[in-house]
Amino acid sequence: MLNQGAKILVVDDEKGIRRFLENSLQNQGYEVFLAENGRRALQLFKSKHPDLVLLDLNLPDMFGGEVLKAIRKEHATPVIVLTVLNSDKDKIEILDLGADDFLTKPFSVAELGARVRVALRHGANLKDTPLYKNGPLEVDVNLRKVRVQGKEIKLTATEFDLLKLLISWEGKILTQNFILTNIWGAFANEQTHYVRIYVANLRRKLETCEEMKGFIKTEQGVGYRIDKIEE
């Protein structure tokens, strides 16, 4: 089984949901740790080093976004947010906090399993390239830092996740649907304008020198790719 034995931290204040997630994930071969609040979640994150975090935003002691921010200060560990929010605005805000994906409650075991597998695959790819260098571009995946010619480039959480996805698949064409699935979730396949907007923003921020011009290439009608910059 893909990613069997991966460690997953579940953070939710509802005992019934924690139990449901624990049973579902253990049945799929994962090792599961449970936290009922933000403080316990951060303790377990530091001690257990999970491969993935399932995080509810409505926690009794703090906003779940604060837990996410604390994780993102030093780690690129995939985080899937559990939420009852379902508007496009809410989804974009969740992703901009630094989440890799979201699950809207209620959700099925099948949907949970699919999202978890995608997030773990993505996380495994990133562990192989914690420091990415390509011409004048440097990306520290763990610290979420981006530099061009030594100058730090400020990206939003979603812009960074898009760049992270592109560098994880260097040389490969990523379709718009593939990008949507990995960044906005499996059920955002009709929101292709998200991809166009964020690619345009990322290009504008990265193309600060001649070598970076055209770094993100458009394959017309298919998607996007990046290649190795010739020295």
Side-chain angles (χ1 to χ4, degrees):
M1 182 182 292
L2 182 66
N3 294 306
Q4 188 170 27
K7 296 185 291 186
I8 300 178
L9 173 60
V10 172
V11 188
D12 198 295
D13 65 331
E14 295 186 43
K15 186 175 181 180
I17 292 179
R18 291 199 304 274
R19 185 176 299 164
F20 163 73
L21 290 170
E22 181 181 31
N23 291 336
S24 300
L25 294 168
Q26 285 180 342
N27 287 338
Q28 296 177 59
Y30 302 117
E31 184 178 359
V32 183
F33 307 103
L34 303 178
E36 69 281 1
N37 57 49
R39 182 171 173 271
R40 180 61 176 157
L42 293 175
Q43 289 174 341
L44 286 173
F45 185 85
K46 291 178 181 178
S47 64
K48 301 299 184 181
H49 307 289
D51 301 297
L52 171 68
V53 179
L54 297 179
L55 174 66
D56 184 33
L57 293 182
N58 297 316
L59 300 175
D61 58 340
M62 66 176 74
F63 175 51
E66 296 303 314
V67 176
L68 180 52
K69 287 179 183 177
I71 291 172
R72 283 290 172 261
K73 283 182 180 178
E74 298 181 358
H75 301 278
T77 304
V79 177
I80 299 176
V81 164
L82 309 176
T83 179
V84 295
L85 304 175
N86 201 29
S87 72
D88 287 347
K89 179 176 180 293
D90 291 326
K91 293 172 184 176
I92 291 171
E93 286 178 355
I94 288 169
L95 294 165
D96 278 339
L97 282 173
D100 294 79
D101 198 358
F102 57 86
L103 268 170
T104 303
K105 298 178 180 179
F107 47 82
S108 67
V109 173
E111 183 182 2
L112 170 68
R115 299 294 184 95
V116 165
R117 288 191 295 274
V118 168
L120 286 172
R121 273 200 307 271
H122 192 198
N125 287 339
L126 293 175
K127 285 179 181 178
D128 293 335
T129 56
L131 184 61
Y132 174 86
K133 294 184 179 181
N134 191 352
L137 175 68
E138 293 185 3
V139 182
D140 189 318
V141 172
N142 291 331
L143 296 180
R144 297 175 72 85
K145 300 288 187 182
V146 178
R147 294 181 177 84
V148 174
Q149 291 185 320
K151 181 180 179 181
E152 186 170 344
I153 306 297
K154 298 292 186 183
L155 302 181
T156 68
T158 302
E159 288 166 354
F160 182 87
D161 288 341
L162 174 58
L163 176 59
K164 191 169 66 173
L165 184 65
L166 288 166
I167 67 177
S168 297
W169 297 89
E170 181 186 280
K172 305 293 184 183
I173 300 172
L174 304 187
T175 66
Q176 293 193 21
N177 282 342
F178 180 87
I179 294 171
L180 281 166
T181 297
N182 281 271
I183 295 181
W184 285 276
F187 298 92
N189 56 3
E190 295 182 0
Q191 309 296 333
T192 54
H193 62 285
Y194 288 174
V195 179
R196 293 193 297 271
I197 291 169
Y198 277 94
V199 167
N201 290 343
L202 189 56
R203 280 176 168 153
R204 176 176 52 80
K205 292 184 178 183
L206 292 179
E207 293 184 357
T208 59
C209 65
E210 192 62 33
E211 288 176 272
M212 291 298 295
K213 300 295 183 183
F215 175 65
I216 302 176
K217 297 176 174 60
T218 300
E219 298 292 336
Q220 199 64 39
V222 181
Y224 303 92
R225 79 172 201 276
I226 62 169
D227 291 322
K228 199 71 177 174
I229 296 173
E230 294 184 8
E231 298 292 341

